[in-house]
Amino acid sequence: MKGVSLIGVDCAAKNSAKKVGLALGRCEGNAVHIKEACAGMKWEDVTEKLSGWIKTEKTALLALDAPLGWPVSLRENIRRHKAGKPLRCALEDADKLFYRQTDLEIIKSRKKRPLSVGADLIARTAHAALGLLEEVREKTGKSIGLAWVPGAPEKTQAIEVYPAVTLTAHLGKEAREKGTEKEKMQRRKKNLEKIAKMRRFRFGAKMKREILSDKNIFDAVLCVLAAADFVKGDVIRPTNRALAKKEGWIWVKSPQSDAR
């Protein structure tokens, strides 16, 4: 993994830019050193910060917490639909309409139900994430296409990730944050310490406080963790890559490595 920079982006809608969390990690041997993390910025500051990192880093993998595509079945149905007429998809097949191949795979293999980009407010976040990616392309002059072959990228690329499922994939269901804000913070602290130990993440005391100061920053670090899984090749791969390239794909740790 040496020489690859991993950038985690906890995405949010453009009018909620202060909720965007960013984290920059750099692979050093088998360790990932968290070099910088931040949140609470204006949209233009988010794009400037991301672009600055990408310009500085030789090769980077961006891991974005947002859907980067829409279900093919939904697109096909909506394109032909007229007001008042039923959709071609039967009511009992609604999941096939509103969920992508990758969402159904996460439900099956990781027992976690993602928000449906076809039916929930997450669509606004998806719209903003795609716009953010395009703005960064323009500012850096780099094409930044999506990566489809797990491993260390030879050029700057991007992937879709899901911090919540990455967290439970590594630490189990007990890692979920529950209870009061104080209890959630305590759980977050324990989770960060476990992740650091398991993945050999490195960060100083000041950076640790920064990560724990904001849930969005913590999620951005989880995006870096998902990116590290991708670089390692320890991820669930699409069974139908052609479909995944149309809809997008969530890269998350493979269940096959859970018992290792």
Side-chain angles (χ1 to χ4, degrees):
M1 293 198 301
K2 188 175 181 180
V4 179
S5 295
L6 310 176
I7 299 176
V9 185
D10 182 44
C11 301
K14 193 169 183 177
N15 61 0
S16 301
K18 289 188 176 181
K19 294 183 179 181
V20 175
L22 303 176
L24 170 64
R26 190 172 294 128
C27 298
E28 299 176 354
N30 290 323
V32 178
H33 188 184
I34 303 299
K35 307 289 289 186
E36 194 174 347
C38 53
M41 297 177 287
K42 296 179 180 178
W43 186 262
E44 54 267 28
D45 295 329
V46 170
T47 60
E48 285 296 331
K49 175 65 73 174
L50 268 180
S51 300
W53 284 351
I54 292 170
K55 287 179 181 178
T56 302
E57 305 303 317
K58 183 178 179 181
T59 305
L61 180 65
L62 280 73
L64 296 97
D65 171 27
L68 300 180
W70 272 258
V72 166
S73 59
L74 178 65
R75 285 152 51 184
E76 292 176 346
N77 272 272
I78 294 298
R79 183 164 53 88
R80 297 184 177 94
H81 185 254
K82 292 183 179 180
K85 297 295 183 179
L87 292 168
R88 290 189 298 115
C89 181
L91 288 176
E92 60 270 21
D93 293 330
D95 275 358
K96 295 180 181 178
L97 181 67
F98 296 116
Y99 281 107
R100 302 171 294 165
Q101 174 194 9
T102 187
D103 301 320
L104 296 174
E105 177 60 37
I106 292 294
I107 293 171
K108 176 184 174 182
S109 62
R110 283 299 179 187
K111 313 304 179 186
K112 176 74 173 177
R113 184 172 286 269
L115 292 174
S116 167
V117 66
D120 296 312
L121 292 177
I122 192 66
R124 289 186 179 273
T125 300
H127 176 265
L130 293 168
L132 175 63
L133 195 53
E134 187 61 20
E135 287 185 49
V136 171
R137 290 182 182 121
E138 293 174 357
K139 288 179 180 293
T140 62
K142 296 187 177 183
S143 58
I144 315 182
L146 297 187
W148 294 104
V149 180
E154 296 182 356
K155 59 183 179 180
T156 297
Q157 293 180 301
I159 58 173
E160 178 184 336
V161 299
Y162 188 1
V165 76
T166 291
L167 179 64
T168 56
H170 280 274
L171 302 183
K173 292 182 179 180
E174 64 274 14
R176 294 174 181 170
E177 296 177 15
K178 300 178 181 179
T180 64
E181 286 303 314
K182 183 178 180 180
E183 290 171 334
K184 289 179 181 179
M185 174 59 78
Q186 291 173 340
R187 170 51 61 188
R188 199 176 303 155
K189 181 174 181 292
K190 290 180 180 179
N191 288 340
L192 182 62
E193 291 170 348
K194 287 181 180 180
I195 291 170
K197 183 177 180 181
M198 290 172 60
R199 296 293 306 192
R200 289 179 287 182
F201 270 33
R202 296 198 293 117
F203 41 76
K206 183 179 179 181
M207 178 55 65
K208 182 178 180 179
R209 290 194 296 272
E210 187 72 25
I211 295 170
L212 293 173
S213 70
D214 191 304
K215 178 65 165 63
N216 302 304
I217 295 177
F218 179 73
D219 281 351
V221 171
L222 291 180
C223 291
V224 172
L225 177 60
D229 290 332
F230 182 89
V231 170
K232 187 179 177 182
D234 182 17
V235 285
I236 298 173
R237 305 177 189 225
T239 54
N240 185 336
R241 185 183 291 185
L243 179 59
K245 284 186 175 182
K246 293 179 180 179
E247 296 186 327
W249 186 260
I250 298 170
W251 296 97
V252 65
K253 182 176 175 288
S254 172
Q256 295 177 0
S257 64
D258 290 352
R260 295 176 191 170

